Amino acid sequence: MDVITIRDLRVETHVGVTKSERARTQTVVISIDIESDLTAPAASDDVADTVDYDKVATQVADLVRSSESSLLEHLAGKIADLVSGYKGVDGVTVEIMKERPPIDEDVGAVVVSLERPLE
């Protein structure tokens, strides 16, 4: 299967379990692998034959900015649902990372990754 990857989309949002964590914006870093048959666009050189990654990135960023999810898992699921709705998408993997999470241990980042194959 062919894949279009959007790597390291950085978006400011309110995400977290506690009120204090959601009170300030945090940067999340999102990567999305979009499975799609790229045979037609490889031959035609026409954006109409492919998944428009500019539109995907913009819509994902808008979704994340407006979200007030408590969990990264929930936010990743919403992103996967959005991307799965695009014509030509055969599957999607979403990775979302919160750098320097406010937890007791010294952790550089927490990453949630989920995969949604489409039938």
Side-chain angles (χ1 to χ4, degrees), residues 47-64:
V47 72
D49 291 334
T50 192
V51 179
D52 185 338
Y53 55 81
D54 179 41
K55 287 182 182 177
V56 172
T58 298
Q59 287 192 338
V60 167
D62 289 345
L63 171 75
V64 172

Side-chain angles (χ1 to χ4, degrees), residues 36-53:
S36 183
D37 183 353
L38 302 179
T39 304
S44 71
D45 197 27
D46 188 345
V47 72
D49 291 334
T50 192
V51 179
D52 185 338
Y53 55 81

Side-chain angles (χ1 to χ4, degrees), residues 63 72-82 94 112 114 116:
L63 171 75
L72 291 176
E73 294 86 342
H74 182 255
L75 189 52
K78 289 170 68 172
I79 294 167
D81 290 345
L82 172 70
V94 176
V112 169
L114 59 83
R116 296 289 185 265

Side-chain angles (χ1 to χ4, degrees), residues 5-100:
T5 299
I6 298 171
R7 182 76 54 218
D8 298 337
L9 174 63
R10 302 179 70 81
V11 183
E12 295 288 319
T13 191
H14 295 273
V15 63
V17 174
T18 66
K19 275 187 183 180
S20 62
E21 190 179 5
R22 283 193 313 276
R24 61 180 175 80
T25 59
Q26 300 178 65
T27 302
V28 292
V29 183
I30 304 155
S31 293
I32 307 165
D33 290 333
I34 304 165
E35 295 179 18
S36 183
D37 183 353
L38 302 179
T39 304
S44 71
D45 197 27
D46 188 345
V47 72
D49 291 334
T50 192
V51 179
D52 185 338
Y53 55 81
D54 179 41
K55 287 182 182 177
V56 172
T58 298
Q59 287 192 338
V60 167
D62 289 345
L63 171 75
V64 172
R65 276 189 206 100
S66 65
S67 173
E68 293 195 12
S69 296
S70 295
L71 301 176
L72 291 176
E73 294 86 342
H74 182 255
L75 189 52
K78 289 170 68 172
I79 294 167
D81 290 345
L82 172 70
V83 176
S84 295
Y86 276 86
K87 179 183 174 194
V89 173
D90 298 321
V92 62
T93 300
V94 176
E95 180 181 280
I96 186 166
M97 176 176 65
K98 185 191 306 185
E99 297 174 321
R100 310 293 302 166

